[in-house]
Amino acid sequence: MSSYSIDSLEQYFKVYRKSVNKPKKFWGKIAENNFTWYQKWDKVVEFDMQKAEFVWYKNAKLNITKNCIDRHLANRGDKKAIIFEPNNPDEPSRFFTYSELYTEVSKMANVLRDQGVKKGDRVCIYLPMIPELVFTVLACARIGAIHSVIFAGFSANALSTRINDCNAKVIITADGGYRGNKTVDFKKIVDDALNKTNTIEKVLLVKRTNQEIDFKEGRDIWLQPLLEQAETTSKAEVMDAEDPLFILYTSGSTGKPKGMVHTTAGYMVYVAYTFKNVFNYKENDVYWCTADIGWITGHSYTIYGPLLNGATTVLFEGIPSYPDHSRFWNVIQKHNVNQFYTAPTAIRSLAKERIEFVQDFEMDSLKVIGSVGEPINEEAWHWYNDHVGNKRCPLVDTWWQTETGGIVISAIPFVTPTKPTYASLPLPGIRPVLMDELRNEIEGNQKLGNLCIDYPWPGIARTIWGDHQRYIDTYFSKFPGKYFSGDGALRDEVGYYRITGRVDDVIIVSGHNLGTAPIEDAINEHQTVAESAVVGFPHDIKGNALYGFVVLKEVGLWRDRNNLYKEINQLISDQIGGIAKLDKIQFVTGLPKTRSGKIMRRILRKIAEGEKSDFGDITTLVNPEIVEEISKEAL
Ligand code: WTA
């Protein structure tokens, strides 16, 4: 029991040493003492880093919802599991106790079973941030169906690509959703997506906005009437430790999105353990993570991590700027939030507003504040620390990825001294290493390198859905025997890690992970475009913004550049979603001719970073001096 909760720096070092010297014993104990199992494991871990094969808790049997819900019923049945805060502050908040959550999830699970969903089937979930989103995720887990939640900001096209990739049989959506002062036509987007798919048999519908929709008899089904008649208890499917729990798509630097697969037991143990420690969660605390469930942060730290610990988790439907820029602080005051977890991009945008927006609120309840999704710059760190944490709450900068399942490098509040812009030290069980370009491990401190992890942890993704080779190639080939994160990091004089950003072509915009390839594909669909390249450039609020270099089929076409700019952005928005729009575009006569794409992108990044003027100039991009200068540097 003692290693489950870390309360002093001395204990952290002790536990950490234990966890890396005897990982099997360490993870065995954590799993043994804090969860319910139908059957225990034969072996804690079996792995092969070359083949990217990982088996955690071999042959154990469990159901994660038993651990998220059922086992809390005896002592926490009347405790709030979920606090739902609607988009519109005038709409009352809703509360669900653990007993009510049990009923809601059971009903949903029974309806899914009645609709023919079976263990191993893929169910896509495309819903606003409403309680039904949590219920459907957990209902899938209860019956052993694999959920794939698609972020509601993705377009019909992006949705259809994902449905097709995992051959989903059922999709769960809503008539519409609220987002600030707008409504989003969820059902219409799904209808469009389904024109390009043929695996979906049923569309299950939640009523949220009561707006008119096209209803297709035989395919579309309203959930509410079925839920009203459903049984209020449901049997939890017996799952193997390594049965897939969910698929979550993340963008890569090439090709189509990668369906990262997480399995049951290892993911459960890892997110529960990291939640408990990184947020220092204590019984009766109210915890709030603002991330959308469509991203890994929402999966691991809005739903699974908190519920596995019997916590109270806030589910927020709205946006930080509606009805005004004080909404976050208002909600913290309203629900007496104790732990608050958000992204640097939100902090930067709120820091731009009048200080009264934050100062007018009583946020004494806060104990811990957290950051995730992208590097947090010094200025944002201090603003968050001073005005939200009141210099009183430890600020945990948590580094992790969809692929890692849970947080891997982070301070532990009240234990690890924090340092602005540093994620700090690895959590127990995590062995970070820095590698140089020649594949040598970089020893010692005050060093910069490619951030890898050289021993598996229970939360590591198991594969890319349908493409294990791509999983190996992307994460386990560049530095053989190690997991390569794609991020660069600096290790300071005391061994703290600071994440410096991506070293590949993934661009993080407003904390959203966007690959360059799908955006370029969208641009290239424009009939006048010959080729294109997209790079990121620093942006005050979004962290990075997108800069597109576009070569037209005929030079004269650039005269219509204002329209082209709009049309190209519309194409990107149609293909991927509004989050991926280009902030700047430059029509060019050609892309730099270099030996490798990597060097070409470096050159473009330099140009994008130095670019002061707005889009619209046709330039002969390849200034030979720049190319030569940067090529030298790149080599
Ligand atoms: C970036 C989000 C710096 C990083 C959990 C990583 C961060 C990518 C941090 C994964 C942080 C996430 N500091 N960078 N604290 N957290 N990142 O898969 O580049 O959406 O590789 O997972 O976000 O994004 P993903």
Side-chain angles (χ1 to χ4, degrees):
M1 213 47 182
S2 68
S3 357
Y4 191 65
S5 164
I6 298 170
D7 299 311
S8 70
L9 193 58
E10 195 194 349
Q11 192 197 355
Y12 161 76
F13 285 121
K14 221 164 114 192
V15 170
Y16 184 77
R17 263 196 310 274
K18 225 173 25 182
S19 76
V20 294
N21 291 338
K22 297 204 152 66
K24 292 176 190 158
K25 194 164 165 210
F26 175 78
W27 289 116
K29 272 238 161 81
I30 300 274
E32 177 111 37
N33 294 332
N34 302 286
F35 302 90
T36 51
W37 305 87
Y38 292 122
Q39 183 189 304
K40 297 254 164 87
W41 45 95
D42 301 331
K43 231 175 164 183
V44 173
V45 62
E46 236 175 49
F47 67 94
D48 182 330
M49 290 290 262
Q50 312 284 339
K51 296 190 189 145
E53 287 169 359
F54 309 100
V55 177
W56 280 91
Y57 307 110
K58 191 174 183 182
N59 294 329
K61 305 285 180 240
L62 74 160
N63 186 292
I64 195 169
T65 67
K66 284 279 224 191
N67 284 279
C68 286
I69 311 172
D70 304 40
R71 75 174 159 135
H72 303 310
L73 295 177
N75 300 319
R76 298 185 177 116
D78 296 329
K79 177 178 174 175
K80 284 177 195 134
I82 294 168
I83 296 176
F84 172 59
E85 175 64 24
N87 176 64
N88 178 351
D90 298 333
E91 189 183 321
S93 312
R94 291 169 66 199
F95 305 94
F96 298 88
T97 64
Y98 273 92
S99 303
E100 287 162 340
L101 182 63
Y102 175 82
T103 309
E104 296 299 333
V105 171
S106 293
K107 288 195 292 188
M108 193 68 83
N110 291 329
V111 168
L112 292 181
R113 275 191 180 119
D114 288 348
Q115 295 303 317
V117 181
K118 288 192 284 300
K119 181 172 172 175
D121 287 346
R122 273 78 62 206
V123 173
C124 272
I125 302 176
Y126 188 73
L127 279 173
M129 288 279 283
I130 54 178
E132 287 80 358
L133 173 49
V134 180
F135 305 155
T136 51
V137 162
L138 293 171
C140 286
R142 188 128 188 123
I143 67 174
I146 303 169
H147 57 77
S148 185
V149 182
I150 317 281
F151 172 56
F154 279 124
S155 67
N157 238 297
L159 182 54
S160 65
T161 310
R162 287 157 176 79
I163 292 171
N164 288 330
D165 187 73
C166 70
N167 287 311
K169 170 166 166 184
V170 166
I171 181 164
I172 304 171
T173 189
D175 48 356
Y178 298 113
R179 197 180 153 71
N181 53 18
K182 295 194 200 112
T183 55
V184 181
D185 302 329
F186 278 76
K187 177 60 165 54
K188 163 104 187 28
I189 297 169
V190 168
D191 286 340
D192 290 347
L194 295 192
N195 287 331
K196 293 188 190 137
T197 66
N198 51 25
T199 59
I200 296 288
E201 294 164 13
K202 283 174 184 163
V203 179
L204 304 180
L205 285 165
V206 177
K207 206 166 247 188
R208 176 62 181 133
T209 54
N210 283 313
Q211 67 193 88
E212 289 257 324
I213 56 154
D214 280 340
F215 189 89
K216 193 164 165 187
E217 286 299 337
R219 185 195 74 180
D220 299 350
I221 299 162
W222 287 109
L223 272 171
Q224 259 93 339
L226 300 179
L227 290 167
E228 275 159 30
Q229 307 196 344
E231 291 279 345
T232 55
T233 61
S234 76
K235 202 182 138 288
E237 197 72 34
V238 177
M239 305 299 287
D240 185 83
E242 286 297 338
D243 278 337
L245 174 64
F246 64 84
I247 302 171
L248 184 61
Y249 285 90
T250 185
S251 307
S253 51
T254 54
K256 58 180 185 174
K258 299 173 283 195
M260 303 310 310
V261 177
H262 283 283
T263 57
T264 308
Y267 176 81
M268 171 181 83
V269 170
Y270 196 71
V271 296
Y273 180 68
T274 51
F275 172 80
K276 170 73 185 163
N277 284 297
V278 171
F279 299 105
N280 192 250
Y281 186 84
K282 302 275 187 242
E283 195 70 49
N284 302 324
D285 283 350
V286 173
Y287 161 90
W288 180 21
C289 164
T290 66
D292 195 284
I293 311 256
W295 304 104
I296 190 68
T297 308
H299 281 59
S300 301
Y301 299 109
T302 299
I303 301 185
Y304 286 114
L307 297 180
L308 284 163
N309 284 279
T312 301
T313 176
V314 175
L315 181 73
F316 176 51
E317 184 185 27
I319 54 174
S321 55
Y322 178 81
D324 64 37
H325 292 94
S326 68
R327 188 67 193 278
F328 274 2
W329 325 127
N330 201 327
V331 173
I332 290 174
Q333 172 182 286
K334 180 173 176 186
H335 296 298
N336 290 304
V337 170
N338 302 107
Q339 290 90 2
F340 178 67
Y341 192 32
T342 195
T345 192
I347 297 300
R348 286 190 294 262
S349 74
L350 296 173
K352 287 227 142 115
E353 302 299 327
R354 279 186 291 117
I355 196 70
E356 290 76 32
F357 278 128
V358 54
Q359 282 175 344
D360 286 352
F361 294 87
E362 182 64 71
M363 294 194 283
D364 282 358
S365 58
L366 283 180
K367 297 199 278 193
V368 175
I369 56 176
S371 167
V372 59
E374 59 193 303
I376 181 164
N377 51 307
E378 190 109 23
E379 207 182 337
W381 196 98
H382 285 292
W383 189 88
Y384 194 23
N385 186 55
D386 295 357
H387 299 293
V388 181
N390 227 332
K391 298 187 178 147
R392 188 176 53 75
C393 307
L395 193 175
V396 289
D397 177 1
T398 64
W399 177 72
W400 60 297
Q401 312 177 291
T402 305
E403 296 83 344
T404 67
I407 298 166
V408 284
I409 300 183
S410 170
I412 296 176
F414 312 108
V415 170
T416 326
T418 60
K419 174 172 173 182
T421 76
Y422 281 77
S424 85
L425 297 176
L427 293 180
I430 302 299
R431 300 187 201 169
V433 285
L434 297 180
M435 304 294 290
D436 69 18
E437 287 302 321
L438 299 171
R439 304 181 165 186
N440 296 317
E441 187 171 336
I442 304 171
E443 310 270 353
N445 289 346
Q446 284 185 299
K447 297 283 165 61
L448 198 65
N450 294 294
L451 182 55
C452 295
I453 303 179
D454 87 346
Y455 191 87
W457 60 100
I460 190 172
R462 301 300 195 262
T463 190
I464 291 174
W465 183 261
D467 197 350
H468 194 68
Q469 191 56 46
R470 188 176 179 202
Y471 185 56
I472 299 175
D473 294 345
T474 313
Y475 305 102
F476 298 91
S477 300
K478 184 155 184 203
F479 302 102
K482 309 205 161 23
Y483 166 79
F484 174 44
S485 66
D487 283 340
L490 168 77
R491 190 164 52 216
D492 79 356
E493 62 286 355
V494 297
Y496 270 29
Y497 288 88
R498 176 190 199 196
I499 313 305
T500 53
R502 301 291 308 180
V503 296
D504 60 11
D505 300 328
V506 172
I507 307 173
I508 313 264
V509 177
S510 302
H512 303 316
N513 205 334
L514 302 173
T516 48
I519 303 171
E520 288 160 6
D521 289 348
I523 300 173
N524 296 348
E525 288 213 351
H526 197 280
Q527 57 194 11
T528 64
V529 173
E531 58 174 336
S532 63
V534 172
V535 296
F537 69 100
H539 184 277
D540 281 357
I541 292 175
K542 301 191 217 180
N544 287 299
L546 298 172
Y547 198 124
F549 293 89
V550 175
V551 183
L552 300 173
K553 285 181 180 154
E554 285 168 50
V555 172
L557 293 167
W558 68 273
R559 285 198 191 87
D560 193 24
R561 58 188 178 269
N562 286 321
N563 265 334
L564 281 176
Y565 179 63
K566 275 193 212 131
E567 286 171 13
I568 287 173
N569 259 338
Q570 188 58 48
L571 266 173
I572 298 172
S573 183
D574 292 347
Q575 291 292 323
I576 299 160
I579 44 171
K581 277 190 180 170
L582 301 181
D583 277 58
K584 288 192 180 178
I585 193 165
Q586 188 169 157
F587 296 106
V588 293
T589 48
L591 297 174
K593 300 277 172 288
T594 54
R595 270 193 289 133
S596 79
K598 211 171 156 181
I599 297 174
M600 189 261 290
R601 275 174 205 285
R602 262 192 94 155
I603 293 168
L604 295 180
R605 268 199 295 273
K606 289 262 166 174
I607 294 167
E609 280 162 19
E611 168 71 44
K612 298 280 183 293
S613 68
D614 246 339
F615 70 90
D617 287 337
I618 184 113
T619 43
T620 309
L621 171 69
V622 197
N623 173 343
E625 275 158 38
I626 302 182
V627 174
E628 203 181 316
E629 182 196 319
I630 303 173
S631 309
K632 263 196 222 140
E633 221 182 285
L635 298 168

